[in-house]
Amino acid sequence: MHDPRLTPARGDIAAKYLEGKVEAARYVEGKAFEIADALAPLRLGPSADAELATQALKGERVTVYDRNAEGWAWGQLDADGYVGWLPDVALATPSAAPTHKVMALRTFAFPGPSIKLPPSEALVMESRLGVTREEGMFAVTREGWFVPKTHLAGLDAHAPDFVAVAERFMGTPYLWGGKSSLGIDCSGLVQLALNASGKTCPRDSDMQQAQLGRALAADEAKHPQRGDLIFWKGHVAIVRDADTLLHANAFHMATTIEGTREAIERIKAAGSKVTAIRRL
């Protein structure tokens, strides 16, 4: 059984690499694009009111297999393999490979070398940029944007503690499918924090439970450590220390710190038990 979230296949069309594996009327090679917008919604359908599955950040690459007349493109993100519909206007022909990424929660791109100018764009953590030169306190991108150098790092720079990265999102509003400090969901927080620390991570919590780390035995699970992940059906939280966890959650509609025992009991009372605790 192919996971539709990760399989670019419909009854009428599918990726060429799936020929012989899935049934479709035709198979296409797809065309490479990059995300030109600061933050692009990837939706389950070709409509602005379709469910938000995830978000793609500036500089991400995507392979597009279909485009419709209403301005939507159907494709697969290269980084985590997620499939869905993106606004056509958010895509651009790929340029040279990015050289830097945003390490700040958010930053501004200015049209010139002055912080007094009205920003051209607002960028979020893990956005990819191509830097062509430096000028004073700024890095100048291929678009001609001037971005504060202190907010950027090379692609090989990794945060040493993914939990500390996640803690920076405290207070961020909860957004189903969100993947930035403007709005984020539970698995988006885990993915973004792990990506910032140089680790690959699937997008959804069930994928994370299946693929990340190892499951703790019952005795070990009584003493979770910083960086362990606690899973429920459809939810994931990050252990901060022996007593607290951090998670983006719809109960608080924000990224919050809770007592681990209290959170487990609260969620259990709402009808969901812990399904696993995993150690990376």
Side-chain angles (χ1 to χ4, degrees):
M1 180 68 69
H2 297 281
D3 188 334
R5 296 170 295 179
L6 304 175
T7 309
R10 309 187 319 236
D12 60 329
I13 191 171
K16 183 71 174 177
Y17 75 84
L18 292 171
E19 190 168 4
K21 300 176 183 177
V22 301
E23 290 292 329
R26 62 190 177 101
Y27 302 89
V28 296
E29 290 289 353
K31 186 176 180 181
F33 288 88
E34 71 176 39
I35 303 299
D37 285 4
L39 200 60
L42 186 142
R43 299 190 180 278
L44 296 185
S47 168
D49 59 4
E51 181 180 319
L52 181 66
T54 187
Q55 293 174 314
L57 312 182
K58 180 171 176 60
E60 279 196 67
R61 300 301 169 99
V62 57
T63 303
V64 169
Y65 297 100
D66 187 26
R67 303 167 94 170
N68 68 18
E70 286 73 48
W72 291 89
W74 180 73
Q76 183 172 36
L77 299 178
D78 288 6
D80 62 17
Y82 222 102
V83 174
W85 292 89
L86 291 154
D88 230 338
V89 294
L91 305 178
T93 300
S95 49
T99 59
H100 289 70
K101 62 182 178 179
V102 176
M103 292 292 282
L105 283 180
R106 295 177 297 279
T107 190
F108 290 113
F110 298 94
S114 171
I115 59 172
K116 296 181 180 180
L117 294 170
S120 300
E121 188 60 274
L123 302 168
V124 297
M125 180 184 284
E126 284 295 292
S127 299
R128 263 49 177 172
L129 301 170
V131 172
T132 58
R133 70 180 195 279
E134 295 184 358
E135 186 171 324
M137 65 177 284
F138 297 100
V140 185
T141 72
R142 286 192 299 263
E143 296 87 354
W145 294 341
F146 289 72
V147 182
K149 289 189 295 187
T150 56
H151 290 171
L152 302 181
L155 296 182
D156 59 350
H158 304 309
D161 178 8
F162 90 93
V163 183
V165 176
E167 288 171 334
R168 294 169 62 191
F169 286 81
M170 275 291 297
T172 297
Y174 180 84
L175 176 66
W176 179 272
K179 207 172 119 175
S180 83
S181 58
L182 300 174
I184 201 161
D185 66 15
C186 64
S187 55
L189 179 65
V190 171
Q191 185 186 51
L192 198 61
L194 283 172
N195 287 169
S197 63
K199 299 176 178 67
T200 58
C201 178
R203 178 59 178 89
D204 291 344
S205 62
D206 63 322
M207 302 174 186
Q208 293 168 357
Q209 180 173 335
Q211 298 177 39
L212 295 179
R214 64 176 179 87
L216 299 187
D219 286 347
E220 284 183 297
K222 294 176 183 177
H223 307 285
Q225 299 176 4
R226 182 175 176 88
D228 288 349
L229 300 176
I230 303 178
F231 291 93
W232 297 259
K233 185 178 180 180
H235 189 58
V236 60
I238 303 168
V239 175
R240 292 181 68 244
D241 53 38
D243 301 311
T244 64
L245 56 73
L246 172 79
H247 57 160
N249 65 93
F251 180 79
H252 297 97
M253 285 306 295
T255 298
T256 57
I257 292 171
E258 279 193 87
T260 301
R261 182 176 298 175
E262 290 79 6
I264 289 173
E265 289 302 316
R266 175 177 63 75
I267 296 172
K268 183 178 180 181
S272 185
K273 299 186 296 183
V274 171
T275 55
I277 300 178
R278 299 187 70 88
R279 183 158 295 163
L280 304 181

